[in-house]
Amino acid sequence: MNMGSKKAETKRTLKENILDWIVTIAMGVALYFAIDFCIGRVRVDGISMDTTFHEGQLLMVNKLNYRFNEPKRGDVVVFTSPVEPDKEYIKRLIGLPGDKISIQDSVLYLNGQAVDEPYLHEAMTYDFPEMTVPEGMYFAMGDNRNHSFDSRSWGGVPRKNLIGNAFFRYWPLTRLGVIGNDVPLAMDSDGE
């Protein structure tokens, strides 16, 4: 129990430390991929969502929500572009399958009801004839309506293209916080 046993004890401890490091790194990598599977990170690119979001802001996206829940009107969604499949867009979900959408005299109408949209910072400068959102599709528009390439131009967003809903802004730190998708849009006859 002198010098020889201390060396053996030291070697055993070194092996245990190496094993501990390997296990810790493996767990960290596994945790990273598990989180990445559930939560996406998106950088806002462009002005179509001004003033809600600005160019360069960083958001977290719940990628599991639409696997278990139905999208809701008013959700801020991230999706694969139907016209540019190599790009992801961020827009506000306005219409669900079967909804009737139109814009008249700078007012959005959803199923015949005018929609109060407090997130818009300027009046829309165009009309949009009534259309019915096809089954399996969603109607998405930017909050900066006069400068947004959205469903008015290319039609609906297929359900399979929805990546998730934006739920947290983490950059810049001065705007850090939860993103509320609680802006009520027109009520349908069920009160939903």
Side-chain angles (χ1 to χ4, degrees):
M1 299 212 170
N2 49 15
M3 197 66 113
S5 64
K6 288 226 183 235
K7 249 187 190 180
E9 196 174 301
T10 304
K11 282 186 180 182
R12 188 172 51 86
T13 304
L14 182 59
K15 285 180 185 178
E16 288 176 353
N17 283 341
I18 290 172
L19 183 59
D20 284 348
W21 276 103
I22 291 171
V23 169
T24 301
I25 290 169
M27 286 176 52
V29 168
L31 185 60
Y32 171 81
F33 285 110
I35 291 171
D36 193 54
F37 178 76
C38 301
I39 299 173
R41 292 160 307 283
V42 174
R43 180 184 183 276
V44 176
D45 187 24
I47 62 169
S48 73
M49 286 299 287
D50 277 355
T51 62
T52 306
F53 303 111
H54 300 288
E55 176 106 27
Q57 290 185 340
L58 301 175
L59 314 174
M60 289 183 178
V61 176
N62 180 345
K63 294 177 7 180
L64 291 181
N65 189 20
Y66 298 146
R67 292 178 193 236
F68 303 106
N69 301 299
E70 290 300 313
K72 295 183 194 128
R73 292 183 199 98
D75 283 356
V76 175
V77 296
V78 175
F79 56 93
T80 303
S81 166
V83 292
E84 298 177 281
D86 59 325
K87 292 187 176 180
E88 293 177 355
Y89 291 166
I90 182 169
K91 308 285 182 197
R92 187 173 301 275
L93 199 63
I94 301 298
L96 306 177
D99 282 346
K100 292 180 180 0
I101 308 278
S102 67
I103 299 170
Q104 300 166 8
D105 300 322
S106 301
V107 177
L108 172 69
Y109 289 88
L110 177 62
N111 298 324
Q113 294 181 321
V115 179
D116 179 31
E117 298 185 283
Y119 41 81
L120 298 182
H121 70 280
E122 64 182 12
M124 293 175 277
T125 58
Y126 52 81
D127 287 342
F128 181 76
E130 184 174 272
M131 73 159 284
T132 301
V133 181
E135 283 305 311
M137 305 288 267
Y138 296 84
F139 197 87
M141 295 170 64
D143 288 355
N144 188 3
R145 299 283 162 77
N146 296 324
H147 306 282
S148 178
F149 180 57
D150 53 36
S151 286
R152 293 165 296 149
S153 302
W154 35 258
V157 178
R159 169 71 187 236
K160 67 181 171 105
N161 288 35
L162 295 178
I163 295 167
N165 64 296
F167 72 95
F168 191 80
R169 180 182 3 234
Y170 65 97
W171 187 261
L173 294 177
T174 56
R175 300 284 311 272
L176 182 77
V178 174
I179 297 167
N181 291 337
D182 55 358
V183 177
L185 295 178
M187 305 277 265
D188 54 15
S189 58
D190 300 321
E192 294 181 23

